[in-house]
Amino acid sequence: MKHINYLIFSLCFVNISQAQENLENLSINQIQVIASHNSYRMRTHKPIYNWTRFFRPMIPKEYDTKAWDYSHLPIAQQFDDYNVRGIELDVYYDPQGGRYAKRKGNLLVWQSTKSKVPALDKPGFKIIHIPDIDYQTHYFTFVEALQALKKWSDANPKHIPIFVQVEIKNAALGDYLKLTSLPKAIPFSPLAADALDAEVKQVFGEDLAQVITPDKVRGSFSSLNEAVKKGNLPTLSAARGKIFFVVDGCEDIYAAGHESLAGRVMFTYAAPQKAECAFIIANDAIYQQDSIKKWVKTGYMVRTRCDADTYQARKGDYTTQKAAFESGAQILSTDYYRPDERYKKSKKWTNYVTRFPDNAAIRRNVVQ
């Protein structure tokens, strides 16, 4: 009997090892990972949240804080405890420093506008959801977030590749409410794009050894688009311990003067067939599912969303998540890699969650 049990154990071990080996040989566009949305974000300052709820009928829909009623853990905890392998960071250009150091939304609730955060006075990209209103964050600067990312990556050198979506914020409340003293955003420019790349190099080094860049994927192909369609994305094995950065917003400005993103640190979301296209963003997994499947089969990397605006967590609705998983999109974004804990005490919330079976960090793409 002992020999039979040993044989069964051995066969199972061989099967598990072969399955893992098969995954290692897959191209990264043949896998799927869970990513968090607005990964840096903490819940809105409660007095401001309460104020916006009271005056909700007078507030533009895009500033409805009900849609922001979620929060995230520090990214290392997301990686360690929930196997998240993609993050999203919103950045505002602040070359002189101090532009977003005051929180003028606090005037609405009769509180001090002083942030008392020295990092906000220094030059560099700032991480904020909505300046002056929704400013609570684990990382005040892009460099702080990059340092946290590198620290975790260094401590886990064989990790599954991390996909970092860098959303360029090109407008602030001051751009819409022009008669107020709220700060306006500094328009993104080629100079800002160079500064963004420089901050990544400041943290990860000029050689970018831990970063998969467009140049590394393009190789000897005539364009990045051709390289991706010809299967030149790295395998999972080759991409372990590495990080991909992808620009969301102002993509044409970031790519200007860099054909096929030559010399750039980051990829961009681009339209299929454009020379710089390797990544595509398609956030509506239900209505864009057929297109996503087509793009995935072509070889592109696609990011989509499993949930948005807290709706799924309030209703327990898995329709969008199911469509996202089945679309083949490789980067599956969610606000709920863990359920909102309020479901335990309130019927207004459910235990909605976005995870792979057994909380795996990766699974084989269902389309590729």
Side-chain angles (χ1 to χ4, degrees), residues 115-154:
S115 67
K116 298 181 181 179
V117 178
L120 293 176
D121 291 318
K122 298 177 181 179
F125 285 89
K126 304 303 188 295
I127 293 181
I128 322 169
H129 187 220
I130 305 292
D132 297 289
I133 298 293
D134 197 39
Y135 48 73
Q136 305 259 68
T137 172
H138 289 291
Y139 313 98
F140 294 103
T141 70
F142 186 44
V143 166
E144 284 180 7
L146 292 174
Q147 289 170 337
L149 176 61
K150 187 175 190 301
K151 181 179 179 180
W152 184 87
S153 182
D154 288 345

Side-chain angles (χ1 to χ4, degrees), residues 106-218:
N106 283 6
L107 293 172
L108 299 171
V109 293
W110 304 96
Q111 292 187 353
S112 172
T113 62
K114 295 180 180 179
S115 67
K116 298 181 181 179
V117 178
L120 293 176
D121 291 318
K122 298 177 181 179
F125 285 89
K126 304 303 188 295
I127 293 181
I128 322 169
H129 187 220
I130 305 292
D132 297 289
I133 298 293
D134 197 39
Y135 48 73
Q136 305 259 68
T137 172
H138 289 291
Y139 313 98
F140 294 103
T141 70
F142 186 44
V143 166
E144 284 180 7
L146 292 174
Q147 289 170 337
L149 176 61
K150 187 175 190 301
K151 181 179 179 180
W152 184 87
S153 182
D154 288 345
N156 299 272
K158 294 297 183 181
H159 65 77
I160 288 163
I162 304 294
F163 299 91
V164 182
Q165 177 172 313
V166 181
E167 183 172 345
I168 307 300
K169 294 292 190 176
N170 214 28
L173 274 175
D175 294 284
Y176 302 108
L177 305 176
K178 298 183 185 298
L179 298 181
T180 70
S181 61
L182 295 171
K184 297 179 181 178
I186 297 177
F188 197 70
S189 64
L191 184 63
D194 291 343
L196 192 66
D197 281 357
E199 291 199 357
V200 178
K201 291 178 180 179
Q202 174 186 334
V203 174
F204 285 92
E206 287 290 332
D207 63 352
L208 297 171
Q210 287 169 267
V211 179
I212 301 289
T213 65
D215 287 340
K216 292 175 183 177
V217 171
R218 189 179 62 257

Side-chain angles (χ1 to χ4, degrees), residues 146-305:
L146 292 174
Q147 289 170 337
L149 176 61
K150 187 175 190 301
K151 181 179 179 180
W152 184 87
S153 182
D154 288 345
N156 299 272
K158 294 297 183 181
H159 65 77
I160 288 163
I162 304 294
F163 299 91
V164 182
Q165 177 172 313
V166 181
E167 183 172 345
I168 307 300
K169 294 292 190 176
N170 214 28
L173 274 175
D175 294 284
Y176 302 108
L177 305 176
K178 298 183 185 298
L179 298 181
T180 70
S181 61
L182 295 171
K184 297 179 181 178
I186 297 177
F188 197 70
S189 64
L191 184 63
D194 291 343
L196 192 66
D197 281 357
E199 291 199 357
V200 178
K201 291 178 180 179
Q202 174 186 334
V203 174
F204 285 92
E206 287 290 332
D207 63 352
L208 297 171
Q210 287 169 267
V211 179
I212 301 289
T213 65
D215 287 340
K216 292 175 183 177
V217 171
R218 189 179 62 257
S220 60
F221 288 93
S222 62
S223 71
L224 186 57
N225 182 59
E226 182 188 6
V228 169
K229 292 197 294 183
K230 292 289 180 64
N232 209 44
L233 284 165
T235 62
L236 172 59
S237 178
R240 279 191 176 274
K242 301 294 194 295
I243 297 158
F244 291 78
F245 292 93
V246 188
V247 167
D248 176 20
C250 301
E251 294 93 345
D252 289 344
I253 296 173
Y254 183 80
H258 296 264
E259 188 173 355
S260 277
L261 299 172
R264 282 297 187 206
V265 171
M266 306 187 191
F267 296 83
T268 63
Y269 290 123
Q273 307 305 325
K274 288 190 73 171
E276 66 270 24
C277 185
F279 286 77
I280 297 172
I281 190 166
N283 284 331
D284 195 326
I286 295 176
Y287 293 101
Q288 293 180 286
Q289 189 183 79
D290 289 342
S291 295
I292 294 173
K293 287 181 177 179
K294 179 180 68 176
W295 294 328
V296 168
K297 289 177 181 177
T298 302
Y300 297 119
M301 299 288 296
V302 182
R303 184 262 197 177
T304 196
R305 293 189 68 174

Side-chain angles (χ1 to χ4, degrees), residues 1 13 28 71 107 139 153 155-156 218 228 242 256 276 325 336-338 364:
M1 181 62 71
F13 180 79
I28 60 162
S71 64
L107 293 172
Y139 313 98
S153 182
N156 299 272
R218 189 179 62 257
V228 169
K242 301 294 194 295
E276 66 270 24
F325 278 33
Y336 298 100
Y337 45 84
R338 58 173 182 160
R364 183 161 188 156

